[in-house]
Amino acid sequence: MQERCPKCQSENIYQDGNLWVCPECANEWLESDKAPEAANIVEDTSIRDANGNVLADGDSVVVMKDLKIKGSSSVVKGGTKVRNIRLTDAGDGHNIACKIDGLGSINLKSEFVKKA
């Protein structure tokens, strides 16, 4: 627990959600700002398939179920093998860019594929 405000050293502080607040100087801070060991946490940002295997650029994957293509009447059939994938950082969850024969360039979500 925090004991003093880092700005004015007041003992009259309280916790509001994940913030600490000093009513005397109106300072607000996160508890991690005072704890350098909390800043050393490393987040795993690797992209994994549906089985938890780490994917890399150039891998081959197999689509696990039929996937409808938004805005089209086409479908990517389950069991389709996709070669030479590229990993992307799309904000919409589609983190695999690839080319599928007959469909062209397409983006897939890693949760619907497994490593071949």
Side-chain angles (χ1 to χ4, degrees):
M1 180 176 156
Q2 299 287 331
E3 296 180 16
R4 293 184 180 268
C5 172
K7 188 173 183 182
C8 70
Q9 299 302 315
S10 172
E11 293 182 353
N12 299 325
I13 62 172
Y14 61 93
Q15 189 171 13
D16 183 19
N18 62 346
L19 287 176
W20 286 91
V21 180
C22 176
E24 294 181 17
C25 69
N27 186 25
E28 296 180 351
W29 68 96
L30 293 171
E31 186 172 13
S32 63
D33 292 345
K34 294 283 283 182
E37 64 276 356
N40 293 335
I41 298 173
V42 177
E43 188 174 322
D44 183 18
T45 58
S46 59
I47 297 175
R48 298 177 180 270
D49 69 358
N51 295 331
N53 298 318
V54 177
L55 296 174
D57 284 342
D59 281 348
S60 295
V61 295
V62 177
V63 177
M64 294 178 54
K65 68 176 199 171
D66 291 356
L67 301 173
K68 294 180 183 178
I69 299 174
K70 191 173 187 177
S72 172
S73 61
S74 301
V75 175
V76 178
K77 294 286 188 180
T80 302
K81 187 169 185 178
V82 182
R83 293 178 178 85
N84 197 20
I85 64 170
R86 287 176 286 120
L87 302 180
T88 61
D89 189 19
D92 61 353
H94 293 85
N95 46 15
I96 296 175
C98 60
K99 288 184 180 178
I100 298 177
D101 293 337
L103 296 174
S105 295
I106 192 166
N107 293 331
L108 300 171
K109 292 185 177 182
S110 61
E111 62 196 57
F112 298 118
V113 298
K114 62 182 176 180
K115 197 169 187 176

